[in-house]
Amino acid sequence: MERPLYLVVLCATVSWWGGQQGWVWAVEQTPRPSASKAEHLQLRALASQVEQHAKIEFQITGLPAYQNPFDPEEVAVDLEIATPSGKTLLVPAFWYQPFERRILPNRRPGDWVYPAGSAHWRARFTPTEPGEYQAVARCSDRQGSRSSSPVRFRCQKGNRRGFLRTSLKDPRFLEFTTGEPFFAIGQNLAFIGFEQPITYAKAPLLFQRLRAEGANFLRIWTCCEDWALAVEARKNAWGRSWTGPGPLVPMPGQDQEKSVPQKPARQCVQLGGQHPAQAAARPPNPLAVRPNTSYLLTGRVLADTNGQLIITAGNLRLGEPLRLIKDAPWTSFQREFQTGADQYFLSEVSFRWEGGGRAWLDQIVLAEAAGGPNLLAEADPNRPLRTYYNPVDCFMLDLLLEAAEQEGIYLQLCLLTRDLYMSALQKEGSPEYQQAIRDAKKTFRYAIARWGYSTSLAAWEYWNEMNPGLPTDRFYDELGEYLEKIDIYRHPRTTSAWGPSPKDWQHPRLDWAQAHHYLRPADKEKAHDEAAVVLERTALLRQHAPQKPIMLAEFGLAEDNWQRSQWMHQDKELVHFHHCLWASALSGSASTALFWWWETLDQMDAYRHYRPLAQFLADIPWTADQLQTLKAHVEGTEVYIRVVGLQGRSGAYLWLQNPQSAWYPTVVEKKRPAPLAKAVLVLPNLPPGTYRVQWYDTWAGKWLSASQLQAPQSPIRLPIPQFHRDLACKLLHTSSR
């Protein structure tokens, strides 16, 4: 429930006039500061030493104010770092607004995030070698170039594993900087937000649960527009992405002016006419306020008829109506109010026009009366759709990466908002196409500056499910080349399309190949055998990307309209989930199939399925063994048994499944597979010798038996323990024939 606000109306005037409707009060707007040359650039390290593969942070001061500090064409601030081995690294800096955060129990929203101090420049760096470093800040803007005095810091040798990368030993799999192999076990957690089922407060708890169950990987969207986490998105206080922009129109009289080529018309908020006479500014992110604090709401209004403007904040009317006269100039206003003793949020700021005709609003600002950032920045209709980075969302992504690092979870970040770029990529040689490349480079410069330091950042994903028919090769080539220059940590690059896209899988500047697939009724019997579909999809990926890590980055049960399947909650044991994890893990992929429907997985406690798989996979030599697809079959039974596995110099790792235990026959048809006994596994390509054989219960997560097998000749024949659903096995080569 919203607490009361206390109102003070300020009537400071610069000009005034009278009329039939009363008095009109006008307050001059404070001019925006312009950039001027700073006298001296100052660099301060926030620590004197740092552990190898850990973050050190810097603050940069002495710069003037800029119209758009996110735009490197207006101002580019970098850190030039001299390493102990004599290399020189260039790390971009970023514009940073600090925030205070509180978690409010038993409230919705439960996260309170509020500006704490002034915005300034920061830089983040992760050293990869121990020793003495030297850093210098450099700034380039329209006034020229300048630099700071050098700052020194020391890196202590540590035991962290470093960054994830495509393996140097076997490019089909992943490893850390130290060379230790990594296999991704996890799922999607695409939408994290204040009002989402997985809130910012809940996400770290989910990370903890994943780690406890052996999972280590999440695919996260940072491009959710206005429903969840979005670094670059249309977060508009007047409308939503699914309903339209709201009452936004070109500024009155602007259509008579000469338009500037490629410069969008300036917009404002219209009340009346073709739009409702009342409009409320409701930012997608909760509008946080401090309790017992005075706030000042300012703006200006114009009307084409006599009337009055009524302004409210939450449920409190802010002063008397503002009376306006037809065709009077823009009239400035300000209202001061105080929040209640237990008030942490403001539901909206609303404007109602009475008197007919139309009124227009512009320059709406809400800030503490004592000064501070504009809390209604999302009410500015003239923010650029691209290359503006939401400060709250950026701060929350900071926290998510820190939480992931604490729990050993690696995040694939889907960064760019597809629908802000897709229309510009229709024609490769167009100015719109080139501008899309320029804007994407700016976004990635900011992302690398702010989050590139993190060893928990597994990969950059350009966007979710781009149209595979668009001519994107040039985009990926130019953006990929840019990242090779600016991302000193060489994070892997990937992307996704809404259908199979071999041209993306084969692109030399996309490091990982991924596909998305859902089991839908339209696929008929093909969708009834989940493991078969996983193997088919991974085989297709491997065909087109023979020397890259591949992954099924989205997978799940769905209806024909792509919504969650009605059967998912009926599959109480999560049979489909279990089978897809095991089939994908031993298919030659670099990850498990990453399931969608994370909310349902959370409700059904799907995390318990990760632990048995993680335990089985823990000692597989992914990058050192030259693993190949296992050739094997089962004899001695009339029932077809699927064998999925990998074999290498050390032996074989395999999963056996009875397809009669698939989700459709067991969940929909209510059939239970009969136990299988006296079957024999035939392995024609394993060399003769002595093997240690370990059978594993994939559901209970325990070893069933261990024995020695003497195999003097090929093919090797191995009796299979009785089972009715699935089980796994390791044959570890202990000696040659």
Side-chain angles (χ1 to χ4, degrees):
M1 180 178 294
E2 194 168 272
R3 299 294 180 178
L5 300 127
Y6 305 97
L7 171 68
V8 177
V9 180
L10 298 185
C11 296
T13 65
V14 174
S15 58
W16 58 270
W17 55 93
Q20 286 184 334
Q21 300 298 321
W23 298 102
V24 178
W25 300 97
V27 180
E28 295 292 333
Q29 291 293 119
T30 303
R32 191 169 186 171
S34 59
S36 61
K37 189 170 182 179
E39 294 182 0
H40 187 61
L41 203 61
Q42 297 175 338
L43 175 66
R44 180 170 68 92
L46 302 187
S48 58
Q49 63 181 23
V50 61
E51 186 182 347
Q52 187 179 9
H53 293 130
K55 175 186 72 173
I56 184 171
E57 203 157 358
F58 301 84
Q59 185 168 332
I60 304 165
T61 57
L63 286 85
Y66 294 95
Q67 187 75 13
N68 183 4
F70 295 132
D71 188 351
E73 294 180 6
E74 181 176 352
V75 54
V77 182
D78 299 277
L79 212 60
E80 187 178 276
I81 298 176
T83 70
S85 60
K87 296 179 182 178
T88 299
L89 305 175
L90 198 65
V91 178
F94 62 96
W95 184 244
Y96 173 75
Q97 170 63 60
F99 285 88
E100 176 186 356
R101 181 200 184 198
R102 298 182 191 174
I103 297 177
L104 305 175
N106 304 318
R107 296 204 187 195
R108 191 78 171 180
D111 260 306
W112 180 82
V113 180
Y114 192 82
S118 301
H120 55 270
W121 291 90
R122 286 208 176 181
R124 292 169 174 169
F125 174 63
T126 294
T128 58
E129 57 178 304
E132 294 286 340
Y133 286 77
Q134 178 175 285
V136 174
R138 302 196 185 280
C139 173
S140 177
D141 58 19
R142 295 186 180 97
Q143 304 298 324
S145 300
R146 53 198 178 278
S147 59
S148 72
S149 300
V151 169
R152 291 176 174 80
F153 63 95
R154 168 170 282 279
C155 173
Q156 303 289 343
K157 186 174 179 60
N159 57 6
R160 298 172 183 242
R161 297 179 294 181
F163 294 90
L164 276 178
R165 67 187 183 191
T166 299
S167 173
L168 302 181
K169 297 186 286 291
D170 188 336
R172 299 171 301 162
F173 298 105
L174 308 177
E175 67 183 13
F176 292 99
T177 305
T178 57
E180 181 180 341
F182 175 84
F183 186 84
I185 301 172
Q187 63 183 60
N188 279 270
L189 178 51
F191 306 164
I192 303 174
F194 292 100
E195 299 290 346
Q196 286 291 318
I198 307 300
T199 63
Y200 292 112
K202 184 173 181 177
L205 302 177
L206 191 149
F207 292 177
Q208 292 176 15
R209 182 66 197 282
L210 287 167
R211 175 190 56 79
E213 295 292 353
N216 57 21
F217 194 87
L218 288 170
R219 178 174 177 262
I220 287 179
W221 285 20
T222 64
C223 58
C224 291
E225 295 267 11
D226 41 20
W227 65 86
L229 176 63
V231 168
E232 178 188 50
R234 294 174 288 201
K235 292 212 163 180
N236 170 19
W238 306 103
R240 294 295 182 265
S241 56
W242 56 91
T243 60
L248 305 184
V249 298
M251 192 73 70
Q254 189 169 239
D255 52 349
Q256 281 81 37
E257 300 175 0
K258 290 184 178 180
S259 59
V260 179
Q262 297 183 359
K263 185 176 181 180
R266 181 169 172 79
Q267 292 189 307
C268 62
V269 177
Q270 180 174 301
L271 306 177
Q274 75 270 33
H275 293 288
Q278 181 167 342
R282 301 186 187 98
N285 289 337
L287 182 50
V289 292
R290 287 190 185 279
N292 288 326
T293 302
S294 293
Y295 285 89
L296 190 65
L297 176 71
T298 63
R300 62 176 191 159
V301 60
L302 179 70
D304 65 0
T305 187
N306 295 345
Q308 63 182 15
L309 181 69
I310 298 172
I311 307 172
T312 58
N315 54 14
L316 177 71
R317 177 179 288 193
L318 302 189
E320 294 300 316
L322 179 64
R323 302 183 184 280
L324 299 173
I325 299 174
K326 176 181 178 180
D327 297 330
W330 282 96
T331 301
S332 297
F333 62 84
Q334 64 179 21
R335 296 287 190 269
E336 186 172 350
F337 62 90
Q338 184 166 335
T339 53
D342 192 37
Q343 184 174 6
Y344 289 89
F345 297 100
L346 187 62
S347 60
E348 64 181 37
V349 175
S350 181
F351 303 87
R352 186 172 83 247
W353 174 244
E354 296 180 346
R358 297 170 297 175
W360 295 272
L361 299 170
D362 187 33
Q363 298 179 4
I364 305 298
V365 174
L366 175 66
E368 290 188 22
N374 179 14
L375 303 181
L376 271 179
E378 292 168 347
D380 179 4
N382 297 295
R383 286 186 300 121
L385 292 181
R386 300 198 299 242
T387 71
Y388 171 82
Y389 314 119
N390 189 283
V392 171
D393 292 63
C394 289
F395 174 72
M396 300 313 292
L397 183 52
D398 288 347
L399 300 184
L400 288 174
L401 278 166
E402 291 171 5
E405 184 173 349
Q406 291 175 3
E407 302 301 336
I409 303 294
Y410 296 86
L411 308 182
Q412 178 173 302
L413 300 183
C414 187
L415 187 66
L416 299 175
T417 303
R418 179 195 66 192
D419 291 350
L420 297 184
Y421 287 84
M422 189 158 56
S423 63
L425 298 176
Q426 303 291 322
K427 188 175 180 181
E428 184 177 318
S430 67
E432 293 81 8
Y433 195 106
Q434 186 57 44
Q435 186 62 48
I437 294 175
R438 289 176 63 191
D439 289 347
K441 288 180 178 179
K442 292 176 183 179
T443 298
F444 268 96
R445 175 187 166 91
Y446 188 86
I448 289 165
R450 187 152 189 168
W451 305 295
Y453 79 89
S454 177
T455 55
S456 286
L457 200 164
W460 302 116
E461 183 175 352
Y462 289 161
W463 36 48
N464 176 69
E465 296 192 354
M466 176 54 73
N467 179 352
L470 293 183
T472 50
D473 280 357
R474 178 189 164 200
F475 181 94
Y476 296 145
D477 194 56
E478 291 194 26
L479 182 56
E481 182 180 18
Y482 177 74
L483 292 186
E484 288 164 14
K485 295 176 181 177
I486 196 171
D487 186 356
I488 64 170
Y489 310 106
R490 300 294 187 266
H491 293 287
R493 303 153 297 182
T494 186
T495 196
S496 60
W498 64 45
S501 187
K503 67 183 178 72
D504 293 346
W505 303 340
Q506 297 165 5
H507 198 289
R509 284 198 161 103
L510 290 170
D511 302 300
W512 297 357
Q514 63 165 296
H516 299 175
H517 191 82
Y518 289 84
L519 303 170
R520 300 187 302 141
D523 296 329
K524 298 182 179 178
E525 290 80 9
K526 186 178 180 181
H528 296 174
D529 188 344
E530 61 274 24
V533 175
V534 165
L535 296 173
E536 178 192 54
R537 293 292 95 185
T538 53
L540 180 65
L541 277 165
R542 181 56 71 211
Q543 175 188 345
H544 293 284
Q547 294 298 310
K548 286 184 180 181
I550 61 171
M551 58 178 61
L552 282 175
E554 283 187 23
F555 203 82
L557 285 181
E559 300 294 342
D560 285 336
N561 62 359
W562 307 104
Q563 298 303 305
R564 180 177 50 214
S565 170
Q566 61 174 322
W567 292 107
M568 193 161 174
H569 276 293
Q570 303 301 316
D571 186 3
K572 298 189 182 302
E573 286 189 288
L574 288 167
V575 171
H576 72 285
F577 181 70
H578 171 91
H579 287 160
C580 290
L581 287 180
W582 280 89
S584 57
L586 293 170
S587 68
S589 174
S591 78
T592 61
L594 306 180
F595 265 72
W596 194 250
W597 315 129
W598 56 89
E599 176 186 355
T600 303
L601 295 179
D602 185 63
Q603 293 168 351
M604 299 182 72
D605 189 28
Y607 312 124
R608 67 189 187 276
H609 287 273
Y610 292 126
R611 170 56 60 186
L613 180 65
Q615 180 175 307
F616 183 84
L617 301 180
D619 59 354
I620 294 180
W622 296 101
T623 61
D625 223 29
Q626 293 300 305
L627 296 170
Q628 302 297 325
T629 300
L630 178 75
K631 303 294 184 183
H633 64 276
V634 175
E635 296 178 349
T637 176
E638 295 181 357
V639 177
Y640 166 69
I641 302 300
R642 175 176 290 118
V643 183
V644 181
L646 301 168
Q647 66 182 66
R649 291 190 293 265
S650 63
Y653 311 88
L654 53 107
W655 176 66
L656 288 80
Q657 184 227 4
N658 179 359
Q660 293 180 2
S661 70
W663 81 274
Y664 193 87
T666 57
V667 175
V668 181
E669 298 177 335
K670 309 297 184 184
K671 297 178 180 177
R672 181 174 176 82
L676 301 174
K678 298 182 180 179
V680 175
L681 179 65
V682 182
L683 303 120
N685 293 339
L686 278 187
T690 303
Y691 290 84
R692 179 173 174 80
V693 180
Q694 299 173 306
W695 290 101
Y696 188 74
D697 186 330
T698 62
W699 290 85
K702 64 181 181 180
W703 298 101
L704 298 173
S705 65
S707 62
Q708 292 291 117
L709 173 67
Q710 300 291 335
Q713 60 185 19
S714 294
I716 294 176
R717 302 176 66 83
L718 177 64
I720 303 172
Q722 178 175 298
F723 75 104
H724 69 281
R725 293 198 289 187
D726 65 292
L727 76 167
C729 179
K730 289 183 181 180
L731 286 87
L732 302 179
H733 205 181
T734 58
S735 67
S736 300
R737 179 180 171 183

